[in-house]
Amino acid sequence: MANGQDKKQGSITNEDIVIDKERKIELPQANRIFEKIPTIQDANKGKGLRYEFTERKLPIQMPQFSPVVVMPGDGISKENTKLGNYNNVIKAGFGNYAHTFLEGHVGIQPNEDVYHGIYFKHDGNRLGPVGASNSGRSQNLIKVHSKTITNTFKFDGAIGWERQSTHFYGKVPNPYDIVADSIAQHWNKFHYIGSISNAIRGSKIDYTATSGLSFLYTKYDAREWVWDSKINAVFPITNGLTAHFDGNMVISEYTDEVADRRQLFKLKPTFQYKNDFLNISAGINIANDKDKNLNLNDTYVFPTAKIDVQPIENIHVFGGIDGDVYMNNFMNILQEMPWLAAKSQLKDTRKTAEFFAGAKGLLENGFGFEAKVSYGQYRNFYVFNNSGADSTRFNINFSNDTTKVKVTNFSGQLNYQYENFRSLLKVDYYNYAGLGNLDQAWHRPSFTSTWNNTLTFKEKLIVSSDIYFITGLKGKNLITNKEQNLSSIFDLNLKFTYLITDRFNVFVSANNILGKEYQRYLYYPQQGINFLAGLSYSF
């Protein structure tokens, strides 16, 4: 939200290099209107693609890889730039594996300072990769949101419900002769979030305060509520020097037979100096971590600093140090691992230190790049592995608090644009050492890469491709005590969108074209070749 505000003295801005390019033709989501609601013009006119290079730290939660059709989760992605004159969209589609899809956004604008909208989505497969309905899955959600802008404040709020369902289908041999409901898992989540931020143009002090409350419960009577609040503020000191204050409070209670109250408070004051060639920031990150069941109440202080130098135009060299504490909520873990076993104990992960360095920039002839190396030390580092009691379910395993897990990450990305062609290649290499009681970094990859391409023909036909490669995955069956190396994942996806009129377009997505029922997690094969065809209407 802060990054969307006008750049001015005292504003909260993203100091990463921003290159006016982006990978695909995409208009702002209809449910994210930060200023007075203007008519969106054709993005192709005089505007290229937009890339934002960010400092990518090791994700404590590895991104969940799923080769099924991926649709936007928080709004509508409009691939036709001509649809920018319409704020409302409805998409519907059908595919194999009894795939049904419906997504839409409808909004009203009583006046130029007020906007209300509703977003809904259904995305499900009645049939799955094995055992027919025994491996089906679905997602349903609805969200109502509103924004009001006054002369002094911006108010933003949303309330919603989401339900996801899956099955514990990873049995050997495959479970063809059991009742699907007996291995079903589903959860429901209700949530609210609201924010208030500065709307006074030219104000020397800028701020944004956000607070949200969510409640989740599962079929197996696990429950969690989370109250998460943040504040970000900027105070100018001189023309080049500013003071920043970031605060975060998370209070949660997770109940699975036994209730566990957990709290995390963080304060991060920093000072930043910036001119045309140098951007340097330094401060401390103070975190207080409490856990009732673990009898924990500890405070940590981490130094944080970053220096970014521009030796030549459009080329940046950067480096720094960082440290933090991450709260591992049940909700976040469940979204990453839907086949989680019951009675899972949660702990917060501490990044005691991370050192990073790299370079990024924009080259001639449409090329941009980023390269980075980082070395971090983590306590309570976690992995997922199959349960010894039931191999179809997974336990979350933490390293001992006395163990410092060392993670080295080499990452890079290269982007290219030429007229109507856009391409983006990302690669990551991970090395894990000092795992202690974990033995191996179970189900964490050693190498990942994604290659995304988009080609537009005469502003009518849009062809996009996504190629994924993941290797180095390992799992262990604790019942047989055998370690297994999972086959490397190579996944190719294609999507075609044809723009019939300004309001209508048809799309066809083909995923996992090679038809490999590979396993991202042990005993859980993914869908083979699958497709979705549909129609989109904007109004």
Side-chain angles (χ1 to χ4, degrees), residues 356-372:
F356 60 91
K360 57 190 175 182
L362 176 65
L363 306 177
E364 295 181 356
N365 301 320
F367 283 98
F369 75 95
E370 178 189 29
K372 177 186 173 184

Side-chain angles (χ1 to χ4, degrees), residues 48-68:
L49 297 173
R50 178 183 178 89
Y51 264 95
E52 292 188 8
F53 291 106
T54 59
E55 308 307 332
R56 295 187 293 148
K57 301 177 177 61
L58 171 79
I60 293 299
Q61 295 178 338
M62 294 297 294
Q64 181 181 354
F65 180 80
S66 179
V68 301

Side-chain angles (χ1 to χ4, degrees), residues 161-384:
W161 162 83
E162 181 178 0
R163 176 185 174 92
Q164 290 196 27
S165 300
T166 185
H167 293 81
F168 296 101
Y169 66 88
K171 286 185 178 291
V172 180
N174 294 328
Y176 291 101
D177 56 349
I178 62 176
V179 179
D181 189 61
S182 66
I183 58 171
Q185 163 68 302
H186 59 250
W187 54 259
N188 290 270
K189 176 186 176 183
F190 298 89
H191 62 275
Y192 164 79
I193 186 169
S195 68
I196 180 173
S197 57
N198 178 39
I200 304 175
R201 293 186 179 275
S203 173
K204 293 186 177 182
I205 297 177
D206 215 346
Y207 61 87
T208 298
T210 304
S211 186
L213 180 65
S214 64
F215 176 75
L216 172 124
Y217 65 93
T218 73
K219 176 184 176 181
Y220 296 97
D221 296 327
R223 304 183 304 278
E224 183 186 55
W225 62 262
V226 179
W227 180 24
D228 189 352
S229 298
K230 299 180 178 70
I231 185 169
N232 310 98
V234 176
F235 307 92
I237 301 175
T238 65
N239 288 336
L241 182 64
T242 56
H244 297 250
F245 176 82
D246 299 313
N248 185 204
M249 177 190 73
V250 185
I251 302 176
S252 73
E253 184 170 282
Y254 167 58
T255 303
D256 194 350
E257 289 191 349
V258 177
D260 186 13
R261 177 70 63 85
R262 304 163 63 218
Q263 301 176 30
L264 178 63
F265 301 92
K266 294 195 289 186
L267 297 176
K268 188 178 181 181
T270 57
F271 291 92
Q272 181 183 45
Y273 175 76
K274 181 182 179 182
N275 59 31
D276 292 339
F277 308 101
L278 175 68
N279 186 348
I280 185 170
S281 62
I284 57 174
N285 190 3
I286 307 170
N288 176 253
D289 192 13
K290 295 183 179 181
D291 190 310
K292 176 183 175 183
N293 288 0
L294 296 178
N295 196 27
L296 174 70
N297 185 1
D298 290 334
T299 299
Y300 311 96
V301 179
F302 306 104
T304 176
K306 177 185 173 183
I307 183 171
D308 186 312
V309 180
Q310 186 178 199
I312 58 178
E313 186 178 3
N314 291 330
I315 301 296
H316 288 239
V317 179
F318 61 86
I321 183 175
D322 193 24
D324 209 344
V325 179
Y326 306 92
M327 177 173 278
N328 297 314
N329 289 323
F330 182 58
M331 175 77 261
N332 299 332
I333 297 297
L334 197 59
Q335 287 182 315
E336 183 182 1
M337 168 47 67
W339 305 293
L340 194 66
K343 303 177 184 178
S344 297
Q345 186 182 37
L346 302 178
K347 298 179 181 179
D348 294 343
T349 298
R350 300 200 309 278
K351 180 173 65 176
T352 57
E354 181 192 42
F355 305 90
F356 60 91
K360 57 190 175 182
L362 176 65
L363 306 177
E364 295 181 356
N365 301 320
F367 283 98
F369 75 95
E370 178 189 29
K372 177 186 173 184
V373 60
S374 67
Y375 170 80
Q377 296 181 344
Y378 297 83
R379 295 186 186 270
N380 292 334
F381 183 85
Y382 74 81
V383 298
F384 296 109

Side-chain angles (χ1 to χ4, degrees), residues 348-422:
D348 294 343
T349 298
R350 300 200 309 278
K351 180 173 65 176
T352 57
E354 181 192 42
F355 305 90
F356 60 91
K360 57 190 175 182
L362 176 65
L363 306 177
E364 295 181 356
N365 301 320
F367 283 98
F369 75 95
E370 178 189 29
K372 177 186 173 184
V373 60
S374 67
Y375 170 80
Q377 296 181 344
Y378 297 83
R379 295 186 186 270
N380 292 334
F381 183 85
Y382 74 81
V383 298
F384 296 109
N385 196 38
N386 304 71
S387 169
D390 183 352
S391 61
T392 68
R393 310 191 182 203
F394 289 79
N395 288 330
I396 178 171
N397 300 322
F398 289 90
S399 63
N400 293 332
D401 190 70
T402 55
T403 300
K404 282 188 179 181
V405 176
K406 304 171 182 64
V407 181
T408 303
N409 172 226
F410 297 91
S411 65
Q413 68 181 49
L414 179 68
N415 61 278
Y416 173 74
Q417 176 192 0
Y418 179 74
E419 294 182 351
N420 292 327
F421 175 69
R422 292 116 183 193

Side-chain angles (χ1 to χ4, degrees), residues 100-145:
T100 54
F101 175 80
L102 177 66
E103 183 181 36
H105 178 270
V106 178
I108 60 173
Q109 185 182 348
N111 58 63
E112 63 178 4
D113 295 321
V114 177
Y115 187 83
H116 309 296
I118 182 170
Y119 170 73
F120 57 88
K121 178 182 177 182
H122 161 77
D123 186 12
N125 297 85
R126 189 175 61 84
L127 307 177
V130 296
S133 60
N134 288 338
S135 56
R137 38 76 57 184
S138 68
Q139 178 193 28
N140 295 280
L141 64 89
I142 186 169
K143 179 175 68 174
V144 179
H145 58 91

Side-chain angles (χ1 to χ4, degrees), residues 504-521:
F504 285 97
N505 71 71
V506 294
F507 59 88
V508 177
S509 298
N511 301 277
N512 193 9
I513 293 176
L514 301 180
K516 303 293 185 179
E517 292 187 354
Y518 45 76
Q519 300 178 27
R520 173 60 179 87
Y521 295 100

